[in-house]
Each structure stands twice: as C-alpha cells, then as structure tokens.
Amino acid sequence: MAFADSSEVRVAYVPEANYGVTPATPSFKQVRLTGGGLSTNKSTGVSNERRADRNVSGVFETGQDVAGDLPFELSYGSFDDFFAATLFGDWSANKLKNGKVRKSFTFEETIELGATDAFSRFTGVMVNSMSLAINARAEVTGSFSLMGQKEALDNAPVAGATYADPATTPILTASANIANFQVTGLDAGAKVRSISLQIANNLRTRPVVGSKFSEEFGAGRCEVSGTVELYFSSNALYQKVLDHGSGSLSFEIGIASGEKYRFTLPKLIFGNGPPQKGGNDADVMISLQVQAVFDPTTGCSIMLERAIA
C-alpha cells in the first residue's frame, strides 16, 4: 500500500463560467503554495429521542461546507486571478479595483499514490478574505481564505483536462523589493518595521431546504484594513492617532521592470495606535490601525496595479 507525501500534493484551479460547474475539458493552472488546502466540514446533529436503555438513537447529517486557506509567498504573476477574485473586480489596462464582479473556481487537489492517484475536486469556490504580511528582513507572505460549495472524489483526471505549470518568478522580500512606500498624513521621516493588510468579503452561506449544500454565497461589504508598525520618533506621529487623522498608503513591490505591483489604499482613517512600551532592551513602537474607506476620486477603497516599470 502506497502512502502519500504532502510535498507531492498538486493544487490546481480553473475559473467557472457558471457557479459550481466545472468547465468541460478544463485548463487547470497549478498554484504556488506553502501549505494549506481545502476540506469539507460536515455539520451533524444527535438525536434527542428518549430510549429506555439510555443509548443514543442516531447521528444525522445536516449539511456540508468547504473551506480552507492557501498560504503563499508572494511572486509576480502567480496570483493575479485570486487578486481579482478577492476584489470582486476585473483587470483593466493592468489596473484592478474592488467592485461587484463575482468570480468562482473549481479547485482540484491531486494526492500522489503511485499507480492510481487520489483526486478531490471542490466546486463553487470563492475568496472570502486575503491577508498580506510585509515584515522587515523577511519574504512577503500572505494567505487566501476560501469558501466552497461541495467536494467530489475521483481516481482519474477530468477527461481532456490540462495542467499549466505555475510561474517561476522569484519570491519577493521586504528588504530588497519594496519601493516608493508612502503613508501620507504621517511624518515624512517615519520608519516602518512591518505592514499587514486584510481584505474581507464577508461571504455567507445560503442553506436551502432539500439540499445539504449552500446556494451561491452571499457577499457583504468589502472591508480593507491593516496595521502599520512604526518606530516611535515624536509626539507628532501619535498626535495623528489622537486627531483621528486620515491619509493614504501606497507601495510598489517587485524585482524587474514591468514585473512589479503597486498597492494603493487611496483613503485611510487612522484608528487606534498608542505607543507600545515594552521591557528593557526594546524599541518603543506604534502599531497604527488603519481602515480604508471609499475614495470618490479613484472610485474604490483599494487599487492594485501590475506591470509597473
């Protein structure tokens, strides 16, 4: 009997034209990941029938939902489809803004078992949230949190399916590949140790009578928030917090000309961020909470551009 190794698991996806329906002869794209994956979560109930012998009468199934996280190290061109799905938008002239365009995928996980592989296909998968972490002297990492409708098992590929290799662009780091970082509304000399961004779509299941699977997910507001960790250098920085100040955030990330991204949060509200005073041999830091709101000039809360020179 063959045993499976996690290092040999292949994760691939294909966009769906119709929610929950895998395209015929699908052209799958393999995904660059550091772990994670999708799985089915069953909801069950225990019978409350009273029995004279004190035994449990039965356990019944009430529903199934698919969920999971896809952690990654950022590289150019590897996750553009997922960025668009996260922002409910379409790339137009290499520019992407948060909008209302729903996108779903079929994901396939292939577990290598030798002669016969094991396949799991997850349909109706949407991006519920995304996180991005930029820390000094580290690679840029992130994660996509997914929700799906159902899982089906198989021991063979879909007829006519193809699998495109993932991009081979290098992993991006905060040390060498961040440029033109700007947080307007703060001191020009403010020094940043880390940035974290979160984009939440607030998806919700839509259970119906007669099925254990959800209908197409409902979507809430697009909420863009983050934390900017800065070295405390003056009261002027903290005064921005006390004043409930506003500003914007933008930065570019990439190595080669034409293979860079620019992230822009055009309008931010500065939230909580008191100075963090630790113990001995530690720096005083400010962890500035920021919330993006709608900017009428750009018509969005967050904008992503690619192919930056």
Side-chain angles (χ1 to χ4, degrees), residues 74 140 172 177-179 251-255 259-261 263:
L74 184 61
V140 179
L172 302 174
N177 308 133
I178 302 290
F251 59 88
E252 296 175 7
I253 181 166
I255 296 176
E259 294 188 356
K260 299 178 183 179
Y261 294 111
F263 287 81

Side-chain angles (χ1 to χ4, degrees), residues 238-290:
Y238 184 39
Q239 188 65 51
K240 299 291 185 180
V241 174
L242 299 179
D243 292 340
H244 195 59
S246 63
S248 64
L249 182 151
S250 67
F251 59 88
E252 296 175 7
I253 181 166
I255 296 176
S257 177
E259 294 188 356
K260 299 178 183 179
Y261 294 111
R262 180 186 294 125
F263 287 81
T264 302
L265 281 61
K267 187 174 182 180
L268 295 175
I269 303 299
F270 300 152
N272 202 28
Q276 305 294 315
K277 302 172 281 289
N280 295 321
D281 307 317
D283 294 303
V284 178
M285 306 297 297
I286 285 184
S287 290
L288 178 61
Q289 310 298 310
V290 297

Side-chain angles (χ1 to χ4, degrees), residues 18-19 23 113 123 126 146 159 161 175 212 221 226 245 256 260-261 274:
N18 299 299
Y19 179 79
L113 287 174
T123 51
M126 298 178 66
L146 308 179
S175 303
K212 61 183 179 182
R221 294 187 299 180
K260 299 178 183 179
Y261 294 111

